[in-house]
Each structure stands twice: as C-alpha cells, then as structure tokens.
Amino acid sequence: MLVSEPASPKRENTIPNPESTLQNSESGTSAESPGTLRHRLLGPSIQKSGQDGVNQAAVSEIIYQASEGSKYFEHQKRKEKDLTKKVESIVMQAAKVSNQEIEAAEVRVGALIRQYEATRDLTQTIVHVDCDAFYASVEELDHPELKSKPFAVGKGVLCTCNYVARKFGVRSAMAEFVAKKICPELIVLRLNFPKYIEKSNAIRTILSEYDPRHCAMTLDEAYLNITEYCANVNKDREEVVSDMRRRIFETTGLTVSAGIGPNSRVAKIASNVNKPNGQCAIANDREAVMEFMCNLPVRKITGIGYVLERQLLALDVNSCGEIYRKSALLYQIFTDTTMTFLLNCYLGLGSTEVKPIDQYERKSVGCERSFRAISDMAQMKQKLQHVAEDLEKDCKRLNLAGRKLGLKLKKATFEQISRQRPMPRPINTASDFYRYGLQMLEKELPITVRLIGLRITDLVNLSHEGPMKTFLKGQRRHNDRLEDEPSTSMNIHAEFKELFDGSPDMHDDEEIGELVMIIQGSEEDDAGGAIDDYRSSSKASAARDIENGEKLQQHTANALMPVPESESLPLSTASGESSTALVLCPICGNQISADDHALNHHVDWCLSRGAIREAVKETFN
C-alpha cells in the first residue's frame, strides 16, 4: 500500500529550547532517567523481561555504591560526561535549524517515506523464537530444587538468571559480586556449554520441520518464515506457532516465547511482549503494524541503544511515533544511515527474507579474550597467540581470509583502543595473525590491558575461485601447449582476458577489484581508492586496462625485477619431461613453481618492489 503521507500523528518539528533541554538533563537525578550516571550503570539489560515492579532506583544505588572508586566506575563516568557533551552539541545544532530548512527537509522526508512504503511486503509470516532464560532453564532441568530460588549462570559476569532472581533486580551482564549485593541469597552456577548446545540442537531439529531454512542467530533464538508451512497444513499462523512451542516443551522441557509478524523487526519486538512462555501476533496489515510500533518507547526498538536513546530524548523524541513528528528536524541532525533506520522503525518495515546464518554475507570474523589486567609483554604475547589460534580455527571453519587485520585492546582503565592495517595478501593463519597483531601491539607499549582481540575484515571467500586460482588453471592449459606453442606475452594476456571477460568462476567487479589488489599490493594510502575506482569502471575500461597491461608486461619482465635464482626454475629436464609444475608470474613474467608456498613467496617478493607498484599505478591511471 503506497501512500503520500502516513495516517499517523502530525509533524511537530518544533525546535527544542536548548536551555530548558539541558537543564532537564542536568537536573535529572532519577535512576530511571537517561542522562545520569546511575542510569548508565544499570546497563542494557534493564530492558529484559521480568524487571516489572523492580525498584530500579534502589538497584542503581547499590550498583553505584559497589562500583564507586573502581576503574570501571571512572571509565563509565568519563563516557557519560563525553556523551552529555555530544547531546548538548546536538541540541545546540537543532536550535540553529531554520524554518526554511525544516520545510525543505519535510519534502525530502516525505519522498523517503513514499520510497520506503513502496517496499512494504505483507505477504510473509515471520516468527522470532526466543528461549526463556535459556541457560538457567536448562540448569533447572538438572536441578529442579532451584526453580523457586534466585540463581544465575556465569562466572565473574552473569550470562543469565532465572525469573525469581530478576524480581530482585538481578540481570544478565551484571558483575557477580554486584548481583550478590543486590540479592545476597543468589546462587551462581558455572557454565556448561555442551549441555546447552545439546538442547539447542534439539530445538533446531523441531524448527527445521516448520522452516528448513530457519536462521539460528544464537543458541537460544531463531527466525523462521512459516508462510509456506501454514499454507501446506492449512492452519492459522498462531495455531502453528502454538503447536511449535508445545512440541519444544514436550521434547526438551524448555519454554520459548515467540513473536509473529510480517517481517523480522516486528516479530523480534513482539517476541518480548508476552515473555515468558507466551506469544504475540501482529496482523499482516499496515495499520496494525503502525499502531503496534507507534507507542513503543524508543529504547524498546531493537537497534536503539543508550547513546541513540539519549540523543533522541534530548530532541523530545520519546516514542517510535514521535520519530515521524520530528522527522524533518531529525533529518537535519542525523546521518542518512541513521535516518533511514529511524524511518524504517517508525514504519515498522523489516526484512522478510530468512535463510541459514551461514548464507548471510559476513563483514568480519573476530575473536577476543578478557582477563585480569596485565602489563608484562610475555603474558600479552601469550594471550595474543591464543586469540590468533582461536581466530584461525574460525577462519578455517568458515573458509575465509581477510585483507585487513584489526587489533582491539581494552586498557585497565576500560578505555578501548582499536587499530587496523591492510595486509600484503589475504591472511587466515595464526602465524600471520600473531605476527601482524604483535606489530600493532608493540606500537602501543607501554600499556596495561585486560582484553585483547583480533578481527579480519574485507573478507575473501576461499571456497570460491578467485582470480589467482583461475589464472593457475589457465597456466596449466598454457603449460600443456608449451611444446607446440612458444610462450609469449600475448598468450599470457589471453589468459588474463579470459579472466576479465566471462570466466564462469568470476564475480565481475568484486574479482576484478581483487586482481587489482594482487597487482598493486594493499598499501593503506592507495589500495582502497584503487579498488573502489577500478570497480566503478565499465568492462570497456577493463579491456583497455588489459591492453595497457600488455605494455606493462614488457616493462616488468626485465632487469627491473631480477628473480632470485632459487625461484627461477628450468622448464624441463634433459629428457623433455617437466620436472615440476610451472607457471608464469603475472607480474614479472618469469617461470616459477606452481607450489602454493613458492608461488606466494614469489608474488610477495614481486609486490615488495616499489618500482613495480608505481609503474602499475601510472599505467592504470
């Protein structure tokens, strides 16, 4: 349904009075009022179910007293101060927006809303299933005597707690010692992941019957599209979900809550409405969706955290419906990305595609470990090695490598440092992670840390054939023709032309960009721009660069690139039989071993030559 203006509250793009807004922020002393240190210390889990009726002011005072004077307390205090300054800046910025700018923004926002409305899909039934206090519920199966007692699961920091403990104000992500101050009789059990995984797999087996392509986000939550299932069994969607929940309970002894809606955003929010052991269905109707979303406090919206909440509240946006009322003003304040997110939340739009988690495109792969604060370099190296090994396992399992490596450090003061650098080639081994991670770590010394993490980005899927593998296939064909046909630069570039112009294994711009990276290297100053610029070119431009590449080949296969004797191998033995598989280097044109290690070493050596890099840049420019 496409409409010019939503049937919703009128816009009230009044510009807030900065003085009154800041006074309200500074005078707020209630623990439940964002903008105070006490509220920040309550943490994000204050939104978890089971917190109704809890005296949050009393809980926040206990947390405040228990934390005061600690490094964590001082860090949170600094962050709250910095955020307050940012909020003040936003309020002052809003006060400077003119009426003319508001009117112009209203026109643009109206166009955006019409654009987003055109994408609304009300034909699908999406379900979000969320286990109730999963770890705690699994433990209760083995310890039924704990059902009426407050207990939690975790070590140092609580991973979850049962609903009895939540009535005291205990919640997940809370420090164990703080939780015991809030609830002295709290029992804390240690984690038992094999047991949780077993139960999770049993639940997923049942979910697969309703949607074989369901998306398991974590051990205890999943998204399903049951549109086809409902049609096949000729049952109402609420009846189907109720049956699903009943079967899960009968099979595992665990209760789950569910949200039902036309898209994943609505279903996710709805699953929290009737927790625990309940379900909430939002009709596949635009008005029903808009009504459901309209009165939601902004913090109830998935994706809005404490920082964005503070900013919205400072602009008098307290509920989802008020996003529209203030939309023109928000358009002037926030980035396009944030504005798109907010308008989609207001309209109740979300994804209707559900597929297994491993089929979604990954942006990064990372691992991190936290520990007691250390400053000894030997200990930090050991921790870094462990993280590198963990990351290698994940990369091998996912068959991914990364062109960029990031280092994350959390200091003893809880301040976080993030560093990133491009790699000379895609990497996915612990030795490379450790080597390059250590180089970044050493630049931060001296330092005392309590967390070390590594993350790769700009990923390469090793299960897909990239340009180098395609090139090697071509080289094998080329070697088969060596006896009948002399090796020339034209033959080499025929293989490159096939690589650019329609190899079935290619992914067009993405793979072309990867080839440019292989030729140019990945220096921080020029690689990203070169790849982006090259991806934006047409295939005609790519063909022109191939022609230029032929000229480049003639310049690179000379004394400018002397090849170490150990890497220059004879083509054949005296008997005429090939003694080893050979390929021609795409950079220097010399014959080299096709062995992966030798080839990688040689290409790395070639790319290290600044003269070649400059020649390539000049040619492609």
Side-chain angles (χ1 to χ4, degrees), residues 31-56:
E32 299 183 40
S33 302
T36 67
L37 180 57
R38 283 174 168 78
H39 183 83
R40 172 184 279 274
L41 291 173
L42 282 171
S45 296
I46 190 176
Q47 300 297 328
K48 288 279 189 178
S49 61
Q51 299 288 321
D52 298 338
V54 174
N55 185 344
Q56 299 294 355

Side-chain angles (χ1 to χ4, degrees), residues 362-365 401-405 420 422 426 456-461 510 517 522 528 531 535:
R362 271 185 172 268
K363 300 296 184 183
S364 65
V365 182
R403 300 185 185 98
K404 294 180 181 178
L405 178 68
Q420 182 174 278
I456 55 168
T457 55
D458 201 1
L459 301 178
V460 176
N461 191 333
E510 182 180 8
M517 187 205 72
S522 54
I531 293 172
R535 283 176 174 168

Side-chain angles (χ1 to χ4, degrees), residues 432-492:
D432 281 337
F433 296 147
Y434 176 79
R435 177 158 57 105
Y436 293 115
L438 182 60
Q439 291 174 8
M440 289 186 278
L441 174 61
E442 288 175 337
K443 292 181 180 179
E444 305 301 325
L445 298 177
I447 191 173
T448 301
V449 298
R450 57 184 305 114
L451 178 148
I452 294 178
L454 291 172
R455 181 173 297 275
I456 55 168
T457 55
D458 201 1
L459 301 178
V460 176
N461 191 333
L462 301 181
S463 61
H464 296 162
E465 292 196 345
M468 184 57 75
K469 187 178 286 188
T470 306
F471 168 73
L472 292 177
K473 276 188 173 181
Q475 283 295 312
R476 294 191 193 100
R477 295 194 297 270
H478 176 70
N479 286 338
D480 291 340
R481 300 195 302 265
L482 280 176
E483 292 183 2
D484 302 322
E485 194 174 304
S487 174
T488 66
S489 62
M490 290 301 293
N491 291 331
I492 297 170

Side-chain angles (χ1 to χ4, degrees), residues 486-510:
S487 174
T488 66
S489 62
M490 290 301 293
N491 291 331
I492 297 170
H493 288 288
E495 305 295 353
F496 271 90
K497 194 167 183 62
E498 176 187 357
L499 193 153
F500 279 101
D501 294 341
S503 168
D505 294 323
M506 296 305 298
H507 297 281
D508 297 331
D509 292 346
E510 182 180 8

Side-chain angles (χ1 to χ4, degrees), residues 468 471 492-493 496 518-519 553 556 584-589 592 599 603:
M468 184 57 75
F471 168 73
I492 297 170
H493 288 288
F496 271 90
I518 292 173
I519 295 174
Q553 177 70 22
T556 57
L584 293 173
C585 174
I587 301 171
C588 68
I592 56 176
L599 178 60
V603 171

Side-chain angles (χ1 to χ4, degrees), residues 281-337:
I282 306 302
N284 282 29
D285 174 81
R286 180 183 180 276
E287 283 70 28
V289 171
M290 295 286 287
E291 182 180 354
F292 173 69
M293 297 295 296
C294 187
N295 295 320
L296 283 176
V298 290
R299 190 64 186 275
K300 291 286 186 180
I301 301 171
T302 305
I304 295 183
Y306 180 73
V307 173
L308 184 53
E309 179 194 25
R310 282 281 315 272
Q311 296 170 346
L312 291 172
L313 294 182
L315 297 172
D316 294 332
V317 177
N318 298 281
S319 67
C320 192
E322 289 172 350
I323 291 174
Y324 177 72
R325 295 192 185 97
K326 295 281 186 178
S327 56
L329 179 62
L330 299 179
Y331 183 87
Q332 293 291 329
I333 301 297
F334 293 113
T335 64
D336 291 344
T337 301

